[in-house]
Amino acid sequence: MPEEKKIVRNPSQKRAIAHLQGPMMVLAGPGSGKTSVIVERTAYMIREGGIDPGNILVVTFSNAAAREMKERFQRFIGSTSSEVTFGTFHGIFYGILKHAYGYGSENILSGEEKNAILKELANEYAPDQAQEKDFLDDIAREISQVKSDRIQLAYYHSVSCSDEVFASMARGYARILQSRRKLDFDDMLVGCYELFRRREDILSLWQKKFTYILVDEFQDINPLQYDIVRMLAAPLNNLFIVGDDDQSIYHFRGARPELMLHFPKDYPSCETVLLDVNYRCTQNILQTAMDVVRHNKKRFDKNLSTPNPEGKPVGVRFFSTPREESLQIVRDCKAMLERGEKLEDVAVLFRTNQEAESLVSTLMEYQIPFTMKEKLPNLFSHWIARNILSYLSLASGQMDRGAFLEVMNRPNRYISREAVSFASTRASGQKTQVSLDLLKAFYREKPWMAERIEQMKQHLAMLGSLAPYAAITYLRKAMGYEEYLDEYAQFRRMRPEELLDVLNRIQDSARSIPTARAWEKHIEEYTIALKEQAKRQQARTEGVALSTLHASKGLEYKKVYIINVNEESIPYKKAVLPEAMEEERRLFYVGMTRAKEELLLFLVRKQYESPRQPSRFLLEAGMNTAKGSRNHTADSGGAECQT
């Protein structure tokens, strides 16, 4: 008998499973068995309700989730086949477009082609940023937002660059896709919405096909997806939604938790069920997490309980630096291995990939096995690192043309590419070199330009005489690189602190390294080690799980660390508006409720010689951070306090 059938369901789960007609909203707290409810309700509809399985649609957000849901359903009914449709929003809506327009796989825009198109457009409209992956990613995200929110470009204000540049790139992107008859993921949604609006006959056919619709993770839905689902569910409105407004954490993907909050108004006849029993966490972990999320104002009020024991108190530990924080995790892992415990039961969570840099480096240094769900962070792949390495290469006397072009106008010296071509020379079998003397000769009728080039020559000579850490300080202050970053941030509509933080991390990595060549060798070895780690974890998942808070959703571990629980990390420094702060709080809540038996919150007192403050969320959770700061424990590199 399948495992799901052995479980005794609580009254709320039973009520949700037995619901057959009309709209229902299931508020499913973390660890409350929502997937089992969807699986068993689908089976109940067929067996007890006599509903044709071909009329049932189960929608979720990822291919992996849809596949898992389908497999669990097949195990539950004891069959390897079923006419129930399981799929993602994009998959289902693309299938509808495919039937209407005859699209094939050749019409779907690949990620590689999308990046190539955006790079081509950036070369035309923002050439200085065309080589920067962050810029292209930000533009892609904003184009997606404009499409999914159905915003007219004339009324959209970009957060990545000037409105003019963004509008030109967005229009160019749409023009190229149309000329190639390509669809990106957002076009699958927009196209389906427009098809249903224009063709009521086609909409009617699909309404008769899918007379019962179940939507998982409803808190992650965006307005466009919701509008299409509402059109598809009408007029019967057999719409069964499952989600948790307290776990809505994907605003950057278009998710709007208010859609779930307004669902009872959109469907006044809807029934509401609260799955309020958490089967995952201990009482201490659940209570502490609830204490945090209750500070949000825009949410359904709910009280969760658990049959699990009280468990260990949630621990909070202070550390002097991120390095000490990482070393403590290494010590804990070694102790676990000595006790014969599995590291696979442990996860370390953080707000952004960049927060993991110190930890990844330390784990590799001490050969602690780990797996990272997202791409392993390599600080030295950032364009700022490339700029610095280019400067140091030029300062060593290697006047490579590529390196020179990278930094010749960072800060702006108004050197033209025509001048660089004039000053370029190439010996047999060698890379093209740039002669500063020839460059001065090109500008002989413009003495102010010749003076700038002479100053650059002097600066490079000084850089070449300094150790990397001091050279970066000289580059920042004497050569005006920080001023350049400030100007760049203004163009990109970023906070200059974001770029300075990257620069600080790069400089900190060079602190104890004597020469530029030794630093370059360190970077090369670290990059190779990261690639080897990536290959290992592709071949076999083992060791501690590392993950951003976002990517940890849906997962669970016996023991969870959340690191850098400091202001500007958790909550993130970009969260200024009340809505953004509420999402940061939900994100922390999601991370906390990944822990089944033990939850440890780590924070640092300083970073890059600057003090760091404890997160406000610790106070909201009832953590006595003042007490913790008084009780120093030498073996942990910091102080510990508990709720």
Side-chain angles (χ1 to χ4, degrees):
M1 182 179 292
E3 182 182 348
E4 285 88 344
K5 292 184 178 179
K6 299 177 184 177
I7 298 174
V8 177
R9 297 299 171 202
N10 64 46
S12 295
Q13 290 173 327
K14 289 179 180 178
R15 184 180 161 207
I17 290 167
H19 177 80
L20 289 176
Q21 303 296 329
M24 172 174 271
M25 176 173 67
V26 179
L27 295 173
S32 61
K34 70 175 181 64
T35 303
S36 295
V37 165
I38 294 172
V39 165
E40 295 184 33
R41 194 241 174 178
T42 304
Y44 184 91
M45 291 165 66
I46 298 166
R47 290 175 176 171
E48 307 299 328
I51 295 167
D52 185 340
N55 293 139
I56 301 173
L57 170 64
V58 182
V59 190
T60 190
F61 282 82
S62 71
N63 288 321
R67 186 167 52 251
E68 180 194 359
M69 193 83 71
K70 181 177 181 178
E71 290 170 354
R72 287 186 62 169
F73 173 73
Q74 289 174 341
R75 286 199 302 272
F76 186 80
I77 65 172
S79 173
T80 57
S81 64
S82 171
E83 294 179 24
V84 176
T85 301
F86 293 87
T88 64
F89 283 102
H90 291 99
I92 299 300
F93 297 160
Y94 173 68
I96 292 170
L97 291 176
K98 185 177 179 180
H99 278 85
Y101 299 121
Y103 287 130
S105 58
E106 71 278 3
N107 297 110
I108 299 177
L109 185 73
S110 69
E112 292 78 10
E113 189 174 2
K114 182 175 184 176
N115 289 336
I117 291 170
L118 290 174
K119 193 168 185 178
E120 175 187 335
L121 291 166
N123 277 320
E124 182 176 355
Y125 297 109
D128 287 345
Q129 287 72 43
Q131 304 303 316
E132 293 158 19
K133 186 178 181 300
D134 288 351
F135 175 69
L136 299 181
D137 289 346
D138 288 344
I139 293 295
R141 185 163 52 249
E142 288 201 71
I143 289 175
S144 176
Q145 181 182 345
V146 167
K147 287 185 181 184
S148 61
D149 289 349
R150 290 160 284 180
I151 303 171
Q152 294 183 35
L153 280 175
Y155 301 106
Y156 181 75
H157 296 291
S158 173
V159 297
S160 300
C161 57
S162 71
D163 294 347
E164 182 181 358
V165 168
F166 176 76
S168 297
M169 291 188 67
R171 290 192 186 101
Y173 178 75
R175 186 172 60 250
I176 292 171
L177 262 60
Q178 185 176 18
S179 69
R180 299 181 186 178
R181 203 167 183 255
K182 294 283 188 177
L183 297 174
D184 66 10
F185 274 15
D186 300 299
D187 293 327
M188 295 176 191
L189 306 185
V190 174
C192 192
Y193 175 74
E194 294 296 337
L195 174 66
F196 283 172
R197 285 187 63 193
R198 291 195 309 267
R199 296 288 302 272
E200 289 186 10
D201 56 330
I202 293 177
L203 172 59
S204 178
L205 287 172
W206 288 103
Q207 287 172 334
K208 290 172 183 175
K209 164 66 176 171
F210 296 129
T211 52
Y212 293 85
I213 301 175
L214 299 84
V215 182
D216 187 25
E217 303 286 8
F218 189 81
Q219 75 279 348
D220 296 334
I221 203 166
N222 69 37
L224 182 56
Q225 291 165 336
Y226 185 44
D227 285 347
I228 300 171
V229 166
R230 292 195 69 188
M231 294 166 80
L232 201 54
L236 298 176
N237 294 328
N238 292 320
L239 186 54
F240 184 88
I241 69 164
V242 183
D244 182 7
D245 55 306
D246 285 334
Q247 296 187 74
S248 180
I249 59 173
Y250 296 118
H251 188 276
F252 66 94
R253 293 181 188 167
R256 300 292 181 266
E258 57 268 22
L259 295 175
M260 191 165 196
L261 294 170
H262 293 160
F263 189 81
K265 295 178 182 177
D266 293 336
Y267 295 93
S269 64
C270 93
E271 294 185 52
T272 300
V273 174
L274 172 62
L275 302 185
D276 56 357
V277 181
N278 176 299
Y279 294 99
R280 176 189 301 152
C281 307
T282 62
Q283 292 177 21
N284 273 325
I285 292 170
L286 181 62
Q287 186 59 51
T288 305
M290 291 299 299
D291 286 344
V292 174
V293 83
R294 281 197 188 100
H295 283 77
N296 277 355
K297 294 180 171 59
K298 295 181 179 179
R299 62 184 292 269
F300 289 111
D301 188 31
K302 56 183 83 73
N303 290 307
L304 305 184
S305 63
T306 177
N308 295 330
E310 183 179 29
K312 296 180 180 179
V314 174
V316 178
R317 284 192 145 175
F318 293 77
F319 297 89
S320 300
T321 63
R323 170 71 173 176
E324 288 298 322
E325 187 180 50
S326 299
L327 286 171
Q328 182 60 47
I329 292 172
V330 166
R331 284 191 285 268
D332 289 355
C333 289
K334 285 187 172 183
M336 285 184 66
L337 290 172
E338 289 172 3
R339 294 193 297 267
E341 298 173 9
K342 294 192 301 181
L343 295 184
E344 288 74 17
D345 291 331
V346 179
V348 183
L349 310 181
F350 31 84
R351 179 59 179 83
T352 66
N353 257 4
Q354 289 72 32
E355 302 272 1
E357 287 166 357
S358 172
L359 178 61
V360 165
S361 177
T362 307
L363 291 175
M364 289 197 301
E365 179 185 348
Y366 285 90
Q367 298 182 332
I368 301 294
F370 68 91
T371 301
M372 188 159 174
K373 191 172 181 183
E374 300 94 337
K375 184 178 179 181
L376 288 162
N378 187 353
L379 172 64
F380 305 112
S381 66
H382 196 282
W383 60 267
I384 292 178
R386 291 202 313 269
N387 284 181
I388 293 170
L389 290 170
S390 292
Y391 264 119
L392 294 181
S393 176
L394 297 174
S396 71
Q398 301 176 45
M399 297 297 294
D400 176 68
R401 186 174 187 269
F404 188 81
L405 287 170
E406 174 100 30
V407 297
M408 67 182 186
N409 287 318
R410 297 187 174 194
N412 199 352
R413 300 178 179 91
Y414 302 96
I415 300 172
S416 70
R417 284 182 172 261
E418 181 187 3
V420 176
S421 295
F422 176 84
S424 296
T425 60
R426 182 175 181 179
S428 177
Q430 300 294 319
K431 290 183 178 180
T432 303
Q433 302 285 304
V434 175
S435 165
L436 292 182
D437 290 334
L438 287 175
L439 201 59
K440 283 174 64 178
F442 180 87
Y443 287 112
R444 58 182 174 273
E445 295 181 3
K446 296 180 179 179
W448 64 92
M449 284 297 300
E451 186 177 332
R452 284 186 182 134
I453 294 162
E454 180 59 33
Q455 185 183 51
M456 184 182 187
K457 189 175 183 179
Q458 293 172 5
H459 282 322
L460 291 175
M462 178 60 76
L463 278 183
S465 69
L466 299 172
Y469 189 89
I472 296 172
T473 299
Y474 185 82
L475 175 61
R476 295 174 70 152
K477 305 299 183 182
M479 295 177 64
Y481 191 73
E482 280 192 12
E483 293 175 15
Y484 162 72
L485 292 183
D486 187 64
E487 292 171 4
Y488 178 92
Q490 288 182 39
F491 173 79
R492 286 290 317 278
R493 299 186 173 179
M494 303 168 66
R495 294 173 60 196
E497 292 80 10
E498 293 177 49
L499 298 176
L500 291 176
D501 180 58
V502 175
L503 183 55
N504 285 336
R505 297 204 309 272
I506 293 168
Q507 184 169 16
D508 198 56
S509 74
R511 182 178 293 275
S512 59
I513 298 178
T515 66
R517 181 62 200 130
W519 190 44
E520 287 175 14
K521 186 178 179 183
H522 163 75
I523 292 170
E524 290 167 5
E525 291 173 348
Y526 181 70
T527 301
I528 291 170
L530 278 180
K531 290 178 180 177
E532 290 174 350
Q533 169 64 26
K535 288 179 183 176
R536 279 196 299 273
Q537 65 185 42
Q538 278 181 352
R540 188 172 122 192
T541 300
E542 63 175 348
V544 181
L546 308 187
S547 174
T548 61
L549 291 168
H550 281 103
S552 72
K553 190 169 176 296
L555 304 176
E556 58 182 42
Y557 304 89
K558 284 185 179 179
K559 183 175 185 177
V560 169
Y561 297 84
I562 304 180
I563 62 172
N564 298 339
V565 188
N566 293 86
E567 288 291 307
E568 298 198 338
S569 291
I570 303 174
Y572 194 48
K573 54 195 169 190
K574 289 185 179 180
V576 178
L577 298 176
E579 293 82 2
M581 189 56 67
E582 291 215 350
E583 178 150 325
E584 291 295 309
R585 196 174 279 112
R586 292 193 294 268
L587 188 57
F588 189 46
Y589 171 75
V590 165
M592 296 172 82
T593 53
R594 300 311 93 196
K596 295 195 288 186
E597 297 177 7
E598 187 173 2
L599 175 62
L600 290 166
L601 308 176
F602 282 8
L603 58 155
V604 297
R605 287 199 174 91
K606 66 178 181 179
Q607 190 171 14
Y608 314 125
E609 309 304 325
S610 298
R612 298 288 306 274
Q613 297 302 315
S615 169
R616 69 193 72 184
F617 297 157
L618 294 175
L619 295 176
E620 293 174 358
M623 304 288 186
N624 188 349
T625 54
K627 175 183 175 183
S629 62
R630 286 198 301 268
N631 297 327
H632 185 271
T633 52
D635 63 329
S636 69
E640 181 172 2
C641 65
Q642 297 177 331
T643 52

